[in-house]
Amino acid sequence: SRDVELDLFTDSAGTPNLTSPANGALNVAVDVELVWDPSSQEQTYLVEVDDDAGFGSPEFSTTTSATSVTVPVGVLTTNTSYFWRVTSSNECGGNVSPARQFTTVAAPGDCGMGSVPVVYFQDNMEGGEGSWTHSADVGTDTWVLDSSDANSPTMSWHGDDIPTTSDQRLVSPAVAVPPGVSALTLQFWTRFDLEERSGGGCWDAGLLEYSTDGGSNWTQVDDSMLDTLPYTGTVQASANPISGLQGWCNVQPWIESVVDLGGLEGETLNFRFRLGTDASVSAGPWHIDDVVVQSCEVEAGTLPFHHGFEEEDEP
């Protein structure tokens, strides 16, 4: 004898009722959990997510017997509107739920829905040094623009972590930012291998500074301004010229750093990537690439009502 499980269906599976996220939901995580109520006589569900309401080429599609599924990280992009639906089925047939829409959360540096980036400075380093300058206040200046990094076949700046005391500076061209702009950020791609301190903090490190007076005075970008990639810790090598300051060290693969420049609207800004080393162990270089300064402004035609109140006539 053998036990046999029998599924008996007298009709097609019922239409799924989608419950979460709510239709039109905003700021939804990219690893969103999609939830629906059980359908009558269901056997399996086909779950689809697409940025097209016609579901012509879904970004995510899976079949399950559960009533929820979580979209894996890396499938959906931030700050994007998506549609989702669930199709129930059994041996007799199935039904498709009405589609729902949600918008994923804006990542640091993204311009929100209805706004577009306005770029004040952009350099992918492919055009050479341009107006960038570099020097060493102490020791050797190792900043160089090249394409020798196997992980970045295009041009990028890099400064070397050397086994001698140095204070090396890479300075951007001046960037004029109009007053009254919104969501002002500096964004750049970076990777580094700088000597960390086994007990915490850094022996050698990089940090970022800005100037509003043409380079006469410099202010360090602090952790409160770093939307991504906070500093690793304090530089604790007494021989390092930047000892006592917060900096980046350890090993970091390529990552986009986003710096909140709120409060610096209307200024002409220079940025300084500063590399400090002590007189001992060397490590790898610090790479800087694809530097952008931008704000986010409301896209033309998205305001439902506007009046400057400059005319005498009443609305």
Side-chain angles (χ1 to χ4, degrees):
S1 65
R2 177 172 295 180
D3 292 334
V4 176
E5 182 177 335
L6 177 66
D7 291 327
L8 176 62
F9 304 108
T10 61
D11 200 350
S12 300
T15 303
N17 176 42
L18 310 186
T19 59
S20 180
N23 193 28
L26 302 176
N27 298 320
V28 174
V30 291
D31 57 344
V32 56
E33 181 184 23
L34 306 172
V35 183
W36 57 96
D37 292 331
S39 302
S40 60
Q41 303 201 57
E42 86 287 347
Q43 187 174 24
T44 60
Y45 299 102
L46 172 64
V47 185
E48 297 171 287
V49 181
D50 200 341
D51 60 1
D52 174 16
F55 294 90
S57 181
E59 275 78 0
F60 176 75
S61 178
T62 189
T63 300
T64 180
S65 59
T67 56
S68 68
V69 66
T70 298
V71 180
V73 173
V75 174
L76 306 183
T77 58
T78 58
N79 201 31
T80 304
S81 289
Y82 289 100
F83 299 88
W84 69 292
R85 67 184 182 184
V86 177
T87 303
S88 64
S89 64
N90 61 29
E91 299 301 327
C92 300
N95 283 283
V96 184
S97 72
R100 282 191 170 188
Q101 182 266 345
F102 64 86
T103 301
T104 52
V105 65
D110 283 349
C111 289
M113 302 297 290
S115 65
V116 294
V118 177
V119 176
Y120 308 108
F121 174 79
Q122 185 170 23
D123 194 346
N124 62 7
M125 313 305 178
E126 303 308 303
E129 292 195 4
S131 299
W132 290 84
T133 61
H134 51 95
S135 61
D137 188 58
V138 177
T140 303
D141 172 20
T142 67
W143 285 105
V144 62
L145 184 61
D146 70 3
S147 58
S148 61
D149 178 20
N151 295 308
S152 178
T154 58
M155 301 291 284
S156 64
W157 282 104
H158 83 246
D160 289 323
D161 182 352
I162 54 179
T164 58
T165 301
S166 70
D167 186 357
Q168 311 172 42
R169 292 92 179 274
L170 173 66
V171 181
S172 77
V175 182
V177 179
V181 301
S182 302
L184 182 64
T185 58
L186 163 69
Q187 303 178 35
F188 62 94
W189 282 86
T190 185
R191 83 173 184 90
F192 49 81
D193 180 3
L194 303 173
E195 187 192 7
E196 63 178 323
R197 183 175 179 270
S198 58
C202 308
W203 292 127
D204 303 326
L207 56 84
L208 177 63
E209 299 171 317
Y210 67 89
S211 174
T212 59
D213 57 10
S216 297
N217 296 281
W218 294 91
T219 301
Q220 183 177 1
V221 168
D222 60 34
D223 264 340
S224 68
M225 301 172 66
L226 298 174
D227 288 342
T228 63
L229 194 61
Y231 289 124
T232 310
T234 304
V235 180
Q236 299 189 35
S238 59
N240 191 325
I242 62 172
S243 181
L245 300 178
Q246 293 286 298
W248 290 297
C249 64
N250 207 333
V251 178
Q252 172 62 59
W254 281 107
I255 187 174
E256 186 176 24
S257 177
V258 179
V259 182
D260 182 356
L261 300 179
L264 296 176
E265 300 85 354
E267 301 283 0
T268 296
L269 301 167
N270 291 90
F271 301 96
R272 184 166 75 174
F273 298 90
R274 188 175 174 187
L275 174 61
T277 62
D278 62 11
S280 59
V281 178
S282 63
W286 178 21
H287 286 265
I288 306 294
D289 203 356
D290 294 327
V291 179
V292 177
V293 178
Q294 69 173 46
S295 65
C296 296
E297 305 305 320
V298 175
E299 190 172 10
T302 60
L303 288 175
F305 172 77
H306 172 75
H307 198 295
F309 300 107
E310 300 302 322
E311 299 86 1
E312 294 183 2
D313 293 340
E314 293 184 3

